[in-house]
Amino acid sequence: MKHALRILVAALSMSLAMPTPAVAASEEETVSNAYLHLDEAMDEWASPPALRVPSSYHGGVLDFWDNSVTYDNALVIIAYANRKDNADSLDRARTMGDALLQMQEKDPIGDGRLRNAYGPEHLFDANGVPNIQTWGSASGNQAWAGMALAHLAHVTKDTKYRDGALRIGEWLLRETKDTRGRGGFTGGYRSDGTKIEWKSTEHNIDMVGLFGMLHQLTKDHKWRRARKFVKSMWDKEEGRFHIGTKPDGVTINRDEYIPEDVQSWGYLALRSDRYRRALDWNIAHLEVTDNSNPSQPVVGVRFALQINPDYEDKNDKTVWLEGTAHMALALRVSGKKKHKKRAKVYLDNIHKEQLSGPNADGKGIQANSREGFSGGDDKNHTSLHTGTTAWYIMAKQELNPFHLAKN
């Protein structure tokens, strides 16, 4: 019944599955088309002025999974809020930001947290309580939601978004601050309510972004946090960041895969030439060419490098298009000539997939080039993804989500 309703609603509005001709688009058109995917996804379940958020995936294997992931929504808000001279996109950013604020306010615990995913079909009940689908509260998801609200506060000057971001920041300080080893912050809470004791470099990078924004918005020096832990995860010999610690909060985790995002996000958040080497590490160890469609090879990066000999077969040639997008952004921000050239290669390949990938509609960007592991533990899929689409937009516009725009 739910899937049938989704089909009906989509048919009454603009169909997300209707393909457009796979013809070359200009620089401006490819970004405009990506925004169009976000617009259609956002309006799938409800129309203005209702508070609404998009399902994260469309088409392919994950089309049935209607959840709206908080991380993906944060990316969409940031892409919308920073779109220049477009009142509709800013209005959409505010609508989604208002939805986050209501999720925060009406959460069953009500302590400032958000949850990892919500159901967009019936987003709020008659009393305004959110439709929670995944009850965990990962630190990284909290930080990304906080960054989205901070971007809105910066663009609109509306203090309610700043206050919502501050509530998330206070929750992170209260619930995840850790004194073991190199300090930093733990991973948040699982869906069963148990506390995550390991510390993720990625999550702490996210908090570098959020706390830096809160410091900028409030001038309160207590928000100068998380950098120390991230910097302690730097391996100067290899020129990359470690994934984080084991549950003891002290021992560096050297047993799992080495992820792409920790490298590119670490550079984007810290903006130091010292950490630019991580981008070269990604190119050297994670760049692959997916030749599964001989007529359209895809060049990009994998999700991670498996270093456990038992899982090396998961280092396949699947290109992680989301990661390829934020790698392209980091390479462009780097400014080095060789990095800008590589960024263009990555963005051109993502554009090809936008036009004629496995689930292409000429607008959205799929999560991966094919069904495969891409160095991760689980199989990745080719469904169109709001998060990947937002990262592509940010890469094309050279918008660094870890920092508030200067203008």
Side-chain angles (χ1 to χ4, degrees):
M1 179 66 182
K2 180 178 179 182
H3 189 68
L5 177 60
R6 174 176 176 174
I7 294 173
L8 176 60
V9 172
L12 290 173
S13 58
M14 297 181 70
S15 174
L16 287 156
M18 184 173 292
T20 57
V23 296
S26 69
E27 288 289 304
E28 183 177 350
E29 287 173 334
T30 185
V31 172
S32 295
N33 288 340
Y35 273 116
L36 183 58
H37 173 75
L38 300 182
D39 294 349
E40 293 175 6
M42 185 178 173
D43 295 342
E44 180 180 9
W45 296 110
S47 301
L51 297 185
R52 58 202 190 280
V53 292
S55 299
S56 288
Y57 295 96
H58 295 88
V61 174
L62 296 178
D63 188 58
F64 78 96
W65 193 67
D66 292 328
N67 284 14
S68 185
V69 177
T70 297
Y71 159 75
D72 296 327
N73 290 334
L75 296 171
V76 174
I77 291 171
I78 294 169
Y80 272 145
N82 291 281
R83 189 179 187 183
K84 296 185 184 300
D85 303 319
N86 192 296
D88 179 67
S89 286
L90 181 57
D91 183 64
R92 288 175 179 278
R94 295 189 72 131
T95 296
M96 290 182 66
D98 290 345
L100 292 187
L101 292 179
Q102 184 162 323
M103 292 167 183
Q104 185 183 53
E105 182 64 27
K106 295 289 188 176
D107 186 86
I109 295 178
D111 62 354
R113 76 178 69 189
L114 291 166
R115 305 296 173 156
N116 290 342
Y118 297 86
E121 182 180 1
H122 302 292
L123 188 58
F124 299 103
D125 68 14
N127 296 314
V129 177
N131 178 11
I132 299 170
Q133 293 296 305
T134 305
W135 285 77
S137 296
S139 296
N141 280 334
Q142 306 305 303
W144 275 104
M147 282 193 279
L149 293 173
H151 276 276
L152 267 172
H154 181 61
V155 172
T156 67
K157 311 305 178 188
D158 193 328
T159 57
K160 69 180 179 181
Y161 299 120
R162 180 203 63 192
D163 293 345
L166 283 167
R167 286 192 71 194
I168 291 173
E170 295 287 358
W171 185 89
L172 289 166
L173 290 183
R174 186 174 63 250
E175 298 290 341
T176 68
K177 182 180 177 182
D178 193 64
T179 59
R180 299 172 297 167
R182 299 162 178 84
F185 297 82
T186 56
Y189 288 86
R190 301 177 181 87
S191 289
D192 63 5
T194 58
K195 187 177 177 65
I196 298 170
E197 297 292 346
W198 43 255
K199 289 180 285 194
S200 160
T201 305
E202 178 200 317
H203 289 176
N204 279 263
I205 289 169
D206 302 340
M207 282 181 257
V208 168
L210 172 59
F211 294 158
M213 293 177 191
L214 294 180
H215 177 259
Q216 184 174 339
L217 292 172
T218 66
K219 310 304 180 187
D220 189 335
H221 288 287
K222 82 174 184 179
W223 297 114
R224 304 289 288 177
R225 297 174 179 273
R227 287 175 175 265
K228 180 179 177 182
F229 178 82
V230 174
K231 290 178 179 180
S232 76
M233 292 294 106
W234 178 250
D235 188 322
K236 65 180 180 181
E237 297 299 324
E238 293 199 21
R240 65 169 178 86
F241 291 98
H242 293 287
I243 192 172
T245 76
K246 294 187 175 183
D248 65 10
V250 177
T251 307
I252 292 177
N253 186 348
R254 303 175 189 271
D255 299 331
E256 292 190 58
Y257 52 71
I258 303 169
E260 180 282 326
D261 55 8
V262 171
Q263 318 309 327
S264 56
W265 292 8
Y267 174 70
L268 286 169
L270 296 174
R271 290 195 302 191
S272 169
D273 289 349
R274 178 185 183 188
Y275 305 114
R276 192 159 51 189
R277 292 175 58 203
L279 306 181
D280 296 317
W281 188 92
N282 273 351
I283 293 170
H285 295 87
L286 298 179
E287 184 176 291
V288 293
T289 300
D290 178 3
N291 286 307
S292 57
N293 179 1
S295 65
Q296 182 171 299
V298 183
V299 178
V301 295
R302 284 197 303 255
F303 170 79
L305 176 69
Q306 287 280 352
I307 55 177
N308 185 328
D310 294 334
Y311 298 106
E312 284 184 349
D313 60 328
K314 294 185 176 180
N315 289 325
D316 56 27
K317 300 295 185 181
T318 303
V319 172
W320 184 36
L321 293 171
E322 179 186 340
T324 302
H326 46 70
M327 254 300 283
L329 172 59
L331 291 166
R332 295 189 73 188
V333 169
S334 162
K336 295 184 73 173
K337 186 175 180 180
K338 68 173 184 177
H339 284 165
K340 286 189 172 183
K341 288 178 64 176
R342 209 75 209 129
K344 186 179 186 307
V345 171
Y346 292 164
L347 291 173
D348 287 348
N349 276 265
I350 296 172
H351 183 209
K352 286 193 302 183
E353 292 296 278
Q354 181 188 32
L355 295 175
S356 53
N359 290 293
D361 66 353
K363 293 168 285 192
I365 312 295
Q366 63 201 47
N368 299 275
S369 64
R370 65 175 181 180
E371 306 290 318
F373 288 94
S374 194
D377 289 334
D378 301 310
K379 182 167 283 190
N380 297 300
H381 304 290
T382 60
S383 298
L384 300 177
H385 181 213
T386 56
T388 302
T389 304
W391 272 114
Y392 177 64
I393 289 169
M394 290 189 284
K396 294 290 286 187
Q397 297 182 335
E398 208 166 318
L399 169 64
N400 185 344
F402 293 94
H403 299 271
L404 299 176
K406 291 182 180 180
N407 298 323

